[in-house]
Amino acid sequence: GDYCTSEVTFLKLYFLSLQWTNYIHGWQDRWVVLKNNTLSYYKSQDEREFGCRGSLCLSKAVITPHEFDECRLDVSVNDSVWYLRATDSEHRHQWINSIELHRAESGYGSEPSLRRHGSMLSLTSATSGYSATSTSSFKGHSLREKLAEMETFRDILCRQVDTLQKYFDGCSDAVSKDELQRDKVVEDDEDDFPNTRSDGEFIHNNNGSKEKLFRSLSPKGINGIDFKGEAITFKATTAGILSTLSHCIDLMVKREDSWQKRLDKETEKRRRIEEGYHSALSELKKKSHFGGPDYEEGPNSLINEDEFFDAVEAALDRQDKMEEQSHTEKSRIQRSSPVPPGDVYSTIGSHRFADKVEEMVQNHMTYSLQDMGGDANWQLVVEEGEMKVYRREVEENGIVLDPLKATHSVKGVTGHELCHYFWDTNVRNDWETTIENFNVVEMLSDNAVIVYQTHKRVWPASQRDVLYLSAMRKILANNENDPDTWLVCNFSVDHDNAQPTNRCVRAKINIAMICQTLVSPPEGDREISRDNLTCKITYVANVNPGGWAPASVLRAVAKREYPKFLKRFTSYVQEKTAGKPILF
């Protein structure tokens, strides 16, 4: 027959839903109906008017013949499973073919059908699930599946509402027709008292015909609609909707909790990473090594002034220790430095920088020898015995350009000897500890030379280099009672053979060592000895570092290094000239 609408009686059915809290044990006879793409079951054929006990939408149903029982087939939709058993294997085969054919004709497998129907729970199981819902009852369900179930429920509910609306409309039409018919009978026979015989349904008029006055509703209802069954399934559908909505809410709460946990985990992970980053950055700042691009000196340097000063001071201390260790070896090396005749230093010279040298010499003789006692711009920053160091604070474009001036008195040496060792490049490395290497770029004359030298880098400051002209001059006194003046001036110049490079920052200098020899008369007829000699020194320095560095650091370093330099250099000259003829 037509399997799509067939009704097969007395199928033994065992129904189990994972959402049920209890179920009927053993096989029970049930009336199963396959109709409208829905598989429904009733307690018996006679009780169909009371409504189905449950139903499954076959759009996504899976039909599985039992492996060992030839009469059994299982129908499942998600977690709702029906276990059915036919009378024999042929009967089971007919059912399977009918279900598969029904699904094929209903468009099962097409994308619109799947999207429309989704998955469908047993209405009875959904009702039971709603009354006894637990967290574990829908464990493993996805929100997508539950939303698909909601779409299926919506479609079923719409169909049921349409059916019930047709029933109500039919009832309304029937009542209206009965009222019209009764009104007609009353009007026509109001005074005739017709012979009336009621059989419970009909009234006989005078013509011998009978008209139906009241139609008793059969179990099938109006237009063949099972109102009671539709009402029961409508209730089950709404209960299923509420149950699925409850599941959806629980799933969303679980998903919210899951996302919150993931957010908390990621927040904690980010906090640990930030702490690790700041810790590593702090450790990196503490290390004394050559910095990379992030540690380039400048206003945006990553280290503050205190750390900058500490690093510079530590580097200078290391250089001092290395110098002390190598001082003994240097003192054992005797370098001979020929001294040109004195009249060589009295001439101006004829090289291309002669005029510039003369200008520098005159400026130093005019301004450098002035007394600073009455000048409030000069600050006394160091005073150690005969030594005094003055500073005048000057800044230009954020760069410290403080001029420094130092005065000192040294016994046992002459001004000529001090200026000779200060100017002579052959002995420069014996007393200068800050130079990494140097070379003579050009020899201008016997008393003028152009020198290029690079200084040792003091981290975190960048390495500096200097290109300067060094000239030594003797300035004769204006009268015989005044001492002659020896002077060495070093000032920056440019030269094609020593262009600036990216490796070092080019500094600019204007330095002068000015010395005058004072001789105290010896006792009796004794010859003048070194005990009778005192050299008065004036040292001036104007240095442009060529780049930014913290002002407080530069001033602190200058305050520390200039006195050390004067002590080291004058001690070196005293050692070199001890026991040698006096060079006036």
Side-chain angles (χ1 to χ4, degrees):
D2 185 4
Y3 289 117
C4 294
T5 58
S6 64
E7 298 184 1
V8 183
T9 61
F10 298 115
L11 259 181
K12 291 183 180 294
L13 177 145
Y14 177 72
F15 180 79
L16 172 65
S17 173
L18 294 179
Q19 293 184 337
W20 274 25
T21 57
N22 51 32
Y23 51 82
I24 303 173
H25 295 277
W27 294 101
Q28 303 289 333
D29 291 339
R30 294 292 182 262
W31 183 265
V32 181
V33 177
L34 176 60
K35 187 177 181 180
N36 294 333
N37 197 34
T38 302
L39 193 66
S40 308
Y41 82 92
Y42 303 82
K43 186 175 182 180
S44 66
Q45 184 178 9
D46 297 335
E47 295 187 7
R48 288 182 57 194
E49 62 183 75
F50 299 111
C52 67
R53 297 296 184 90
S55 64
L56 283 177
C57 181
L58 297 177
S59 298
K60 284 191 174 181
V62 178
I63 295 87
T64 307
H66 197 270
E67 184 177 1
F68 306 109
D69 191 342
E70 296 181 352
C71 299
R72 178 176 161 184
L73 67 149
D74 300 340
V75 182
S76 61
V77 177
N78 292 333
D79 57 358
S80 183
V81 184
W82 286 12
Y83 300 98
L84 306 174
R85 196 171 190 278
T87 55
D88 52 42
S89 60
E90 183 179 356
H91 198 191
R92 182 188 75 169
H93 184 66
Q94 291 178 357
W95 267 99
I96 292 175
N97 290 340
S98 297
I99 294 174
E100 294 292 349
L101 180 61
H102 193 276
R103 291 200 306 168
E105 292 181 353
S106 300
Y108 172 74
S110 65
E111 183 179 353
S113 174
L114 292 178
R115 185 170 59 250
R116 177 177 179 272
H117 293 290
S119 60
M120 171 62 187
L121 290 173
S122 164
L123 296 179
T124 304
S125 67
T127 308
S128 302
Y130 179 68
S131 61
T133 303
S134 64
T135 303
S136 60
S137 65
F138 51 88
K139 183 177 181 181
H141 287 204
S142 67
L143 187 61
R144 189 186 302 273
E145 292 177 354
K146 290 299 177 183
L147 292 177
E149 290 178 8
M150 289 295 298
E151 288 191 28
T152 303
F153 276 131
R154 181 196 62 189
D155 295 341
I156 294 175
L157 191 61
C158 289
R159 291 198 297 270
Q160 291 174 341
V161 168
D162 292 340
T163 301
L164 291 175
Q165 185 63 48
K166 290 179 182 178
Y167 177 82
F168 294 139
D169 292 342
C171 290
S172 178
D173 292 341
V175 170
S176 298
K177 289 180 180 179
D178 288 344
E179 289 179 352
L180 289 174
Q181 185 65 34
R182 185 167 55 185
D183 291 343
K184 180 180 180 182
V185 171
V186 171
E187 290 175 359
D188 293 343
D189 304 321
E190 183 178 2
D191 300 326
D192 293 342
F193 299 101
N195 184 17
T196 304
R197 181 176 61 85
S198 175
D199 57 1
E201 280 187 316
F202 297 93
I203 181 169
H204 298 268
N205 56 23
N206 294 329
N207 298 328
S209 62
K210 59 179 180 179
E211 293 183 2
K212 192 172 183 180
L213 184 60
F214 299 105
R215 295 184 181 182
S216 301
L217 296 181
S218 67
K220 295 291 289 183
I222 295 177
N223 297 327
I225 297 175
D226 182 4
F227 175 74
K228 188 172 185 179
E230 291 295 335
I232 292 174
T233 55
F234 181 82
K235 180 179 179 181
T237 303
T238 54
I241 292 176
L242 294 176
S243 176
T244 305
L245 281 175
S246 176
H247 293 177
C248 290
I249 292 173
D250 290 336
L251 285 172
M252 287 186 287
V253 170
K254 282 187 174 182
R255 181 168 294 185
E256 182 181 6
D257 294 341
S258 175
W259 279 106
Q260 185 62 44
K261 289 179 181 178
R262 291 180 63 180
L263 177 61
D264 295 341
K265 184 177 180 181
E266 291 298 324
T267 302
E268 178 64 20
K269 183 179 178 181
R270 176 173 179 175
R271 185 187 64 80
R272 290 197 300 267
I273 292 175
E274 288 180 348
E275 288 180 354
Y277 168 75
H278 291 304
S279 176
L281 187 61
S282 299
E283 291 296 326
L284 190 61
K285 288 181 179 180
K286 295 178 182 177
K287 293 182 179 180
S288 296
H289 57 79
F290 289 167
D294 291 340
Y295 280 90
E296 288 291 339
E297 65 177 46
N300 298 321
S301 175
L302 294 182
I303 56 179
N304 56 41
E305 292 191 9
D306 292 338
E307 293 173 337
F308 199 105
F309 176 74
D310 292 340
V312 170
E313 190 174 39
L316 293 175
D317 289 340
R318 287 194 299 271
Q319 291 184 8
D320 290 344
K321 290 181 180 179
M322 294 173 62
E323 178 61 25
E324 291 176 2
Q325 294 174 359
S326 63
H327 178 70
T328 304
E329 297 180 3
K330 288 182 180 180
S331 62
R332 287 198 296 263
I333 301 175
Q334 299 294 329
R335 293 186 177 86
S336 58
S337 179
V339 180
D343 55 357
V344 172
Y345 301 108
S346 301
T347 59
I348 297 176
S350 58
H351 53 81
R352 64 182 185 279
F353 290 101
D355 294 338
K356 184 65 175 179
V357 170
E358 184 64 20
E359 179 184 353
M360 289 292 181
V361 168
Q362 294 303 322
N363 287 337
H364 285 302
M365 292 299 297
T366 301
Y367 301 106
S368 299
L369 294 179
Q370 290 179 353
D371 187 12
M372 292 156 295
D375 193 342
N377 294 325
W378 290 94
Q379 304 173 12
L380 179 64
V381 293
V382 177
E383 184 174 7
E384 298 180 8
E386 296 292 332
M387 182 190 304
K388 294 180 180 180
V389 178
Y390 299 87
R391 178 180 65 210
R392 183 160 54 88
E393 294 186 358
V394 176
E395 290 188 25
E396 183 176 332
N397 296 327
I399 299 177
V400 176
L401 305 175
D402 294 352
L404 281 98
K405 182 183 292 188
T407 60
H408 193 26
S409 294
V410 182
K411 293 186 176 295
V413 295
T414 65
H416 187 179
E417 292 169 336
L418 279 171
C419 288
H420 168 72
Y421 284 104
F422 185 73
W423 178 82
D424 190 0
T425 57
N426 293 323
V427 296
R428 181 69 54 84
N429 281 333
D430 291 347
W431 57 267
E432 180 60 273
T433 61
T434 64
I435 293 178
E436 184 174 83
N437 57 67
F438 74 95
N439 64 285
V440 176
V441 177
E442 182 179 354
M443 194 75 181
L444 298 175
S445 64
D446 291 340
N447 65 341
V449 62
I450 295 178
V451 178
Y452 171 77
Q453 65 187 31
T454 58
H455 291 263
K456 298 175 183 177
R457 185 185 182 191
V458 180
W459 184 87
S462 301
Q463 189 173 18
R464 259 66 177 179
D465 64 357
V466 184
L467 178 67
Y468 62 93
L469 186 152
S470 181
M472 181 175 172
R473 291 288 304 277
K474 177 183 179 182
I475 309 298
L476 300 176
N478 294 328
N479 58 71
E480 58 181 14
N481 294 326
D482 293 333
D484 295 335
T485 301
W486 288 85
L487 179 146
V488 175
C489 63
N490 300 336
F491 57 93
S492 293
V493 294
D494 296 326
H495 200 283
D496 294 338
N497 295 337
Q499 296 292 333
T501 64
N502 294 330
R503 179 173 174 267
C504 299
V505 176
R506 180 63 56 90
K508 301 292 184 179
I509 63 171
N510 184 6
I511 295 172
M513 174 79 75
I514 306 171
C515 302
Q516 292 178 328
T517 304
L518 303 179
V519 180
S520 59
E523 297 180 358
D525 296 332
R526 295 181 182 180
E527 294 183 357
I528 297 175
S529 66
R530 293 195 176 274
D531 294 335
N532 303 115
L533 300 178
T534 300
C535 183
K536 182 181 178 183
I537 303 173
T538 300
Y539 180 81
V540 293
N542 294 271
V543 179
N544 183 338
W548 183 92
S552 60
V553 175
L554 288 179
R555 286 166 180 151
V557 171
K559 182 178 178 180
R560 161 187 163 147
E561 291 301 309
Y562 276 107
K564 288 173 61 177
F565 152 71
L566 284 176
K567 290 180 181 179
R568 182 173 60 251
F569 174 69
T570 54
S571 297
Y572 168 79
V573 176
Q574 286 175 329
E575 292 177 4
K576 283 298 197 177
T577 57
K580 292 183 179 181
I582 300 174
L583 184 62
F584 287 100

